[in-house]
Amino acid sequence: DLPSSASKFTKGDTAALNATFESASNENEVIPDVEVNNFPDEYVLPNIGREVLAHTEFDVRQLEDISKPKVQTFLTKLNDVVVNSKQAVGTDETFTDTFVDDLLRIAKLNRFPLRIRNQPPTKLYIQDVARVISVLDFVIEKKNSENRNIVVVEDKHLQNVGYATDFGEQQIAVEILSCGSENIRSLGEAPRDQTIWAIRVISTYATFYKATITAMYWMELANGLPKEESVKIQRWPAENGLTTGFDLAEPEGRRSVLTALTKIRESLL
């Protein structure tokens, strides 16, 4: 039997759902290839990297060229995450939570018709029975859309994930499927193909995922665990590890993440 909680999922459980991860060969396989409009360039901050942010005495008021309060708040929260990531104990994920919430808003993912939902419960239905419950950190929804849940965000402390769960990917797999399952039930009609993105943030390292789930998969899942249909979840950057994602503590990492989020937003509008 599958675990009732997404956080308990193992590789075997994900295999039972015929869901697998694969490394994308290029960025466009995961991130939409669309024009970027209204890019929040002021948050790239080319002179601010991990070396600066790692100081426990970091004070954004000492940076004379950064005077906008919203950017100062962003950097202060990022400093909290970087400093907290060095702690072997007291692995508090709330620092990452509040920083990621800001990041999503900076990318305008909380602007109508999109909206952020914090820690919404979602359920994966198999044979019309709720088999797995997930409580996600964030979900981005689009109002009046056939796909209500479109972006899944899961964040972790460096000490709270490891190799046994593929650094949290097993949980991400079932969370993607749970969101898709909720979408189907909200429609009240026959299943249709869905595309769902996910973002994993481990401390300051962000990885993007994309899954296209066919109507045939949902139809088979309605009759039990799938035997014929499958789901492939593509990953970018391609490698999977604790620190293989784009590093938000570095300028180029911030540019890459904000560009990806902006492109996802543009593709949804």
Side-chain angles (χ1 to χ4, degrees):
D1 287 346
L2 296 175
S4 60
S5 171
S7 63
K8 303 295 184 183
F9 256 61
T10 65
K11 296 178 183 179
D13 300 319
T14 305
L17 291 169
N18 260 2
T20 57
F21 287 85
E22 62 179 27
S23 301
S25 60
N26 62 76
E27 178 182 349
N28 292 341
E29 290 185 352
V30 176
I31 309 302
D33 186 15
V34 298
E35 183 179 353
V36 174
N37 296 309
N38 301 316
F39 180 76
D41 192 66
E42 60 193 330
Y43 293 93
V44 173
L45 303 160
N47 297 321
I48 306 295
R50 180 172 293 274
E51 185 176 351
V52 173
L53 292 165
H55 288 289
T56 55
E57 298 83 13
F58 175 83
D59 186 348
V60 73
R61 292 169 295 185
Q62 296 178 358
L63 303 174
E64 295 180 357
D65 56 337
I66 299 173
S67 58
K68 291 185 178 180
K70 61 182 182 180
V71 180
Q72 291 175 321
T73 298
F74 174 79
L75 277 178
T76 301
K77 291 184 177 183
L78 182 52
N79 165 248
D80 287 338
V81 176
V82 173
V83 171
N84 187 54
S85 70
K86 298 187 294 182
Q87 305 300 318
V89 294
T91 53
D92 190 347
E93 292 178 358
T94 59
F95 289 111
T96 309
D97 285 342
T98 186
F99 172 71
V100 170
D101 187 66
D102 270 18
L103 191 68
L104 298 175
R105 293 171 192 275
I106 288 167
K108 300 179 181 177
L109 287 165
N110 194 49
R111 182 172 296 186
F112 192 85
L114 306 177
R115 65 176 179 178
I116 297 171
R117 289 189 64 200
N118 299 76
Q119 297 188 326
T122 60
K123 298 175 182 178
L124 175 62
Y125 289 84
I126 302 174
Q127 293 179 308
D128 213 29
V129 176
R131 295 285 299 277
V132 185
I133 298 174
S134 305
V135 179
L136 293 79
D137 290 317
F138 306 93
V139 168
I140 312 301
E141 297 180 343
K142 184 176 181 181
K143 186 69 173 176
N144 299 327
S145 169
E146 63 271 13
N147 288 345
R148 187 167 57 91
N149 301 310
I150 47 180
V151 181
V152 180
V153 184
E154 185 67 39
D155 56 58
K156 299 288 187 183
H157 189 283
L158 281 169
Q159 302 295 328
N160 292 349
V161 285
Y163 175 75
T165 61
D166 281 334
F167 308 101
E169 283 194 342
Q170 308 312 316
Q171 183 174 346
I172 286 172
V174 71
E175 288 177 344
I176 288 173
L177 292 173
S178 295
C179 279
S181 186
E182 292 281 5
N183 286 341
I184 291 171
R185 294 184 72 83
S186 69
L187 283 173
E189 57 187 59
R192 62 183 70 181
D193 294 354
Q194 296 186 53
T195 298
I196 297 177
W197 284 272
I199 307 156
R200 179 190 64 188
V201 182
I202 303 176
S203 184
T204 62
Y205 300 94
T207 303
F208 290 82
Y209 300 87
K210 178 184 176 182
T212 299
I213 312 168
T214 66
M216 293 299 295
Y217 178 88
W218 296 117
M219 290 176 185
E220 188 172 8
L221 199 65
N223 295 308
L225 292 174
K227 304 298 182 184
E228 301 295 330
E229 299 298 319
S230 62
V231 175
K232 290 184 178 180
I233 305 169
Q234 294 179 292
R235 177 197 315 113
W236 187 257
E239 294 185 22
N240 182 37
L242 279 177
T243 60
T244 54
F246 296 115
D247 187 2
L248 286 154
E250 298 292 349
E252 285 310 305
R254 290 191 290 275
R255 182 178 296 280
S256 295
V257 171
L258 287 169
T259 298
L261 289 174
T262 302
K263 286 185 172 183
I264 290 172
R265 181 198 72 211
E266 292 294 328
S267 74
L268 297 171
L269 298 179

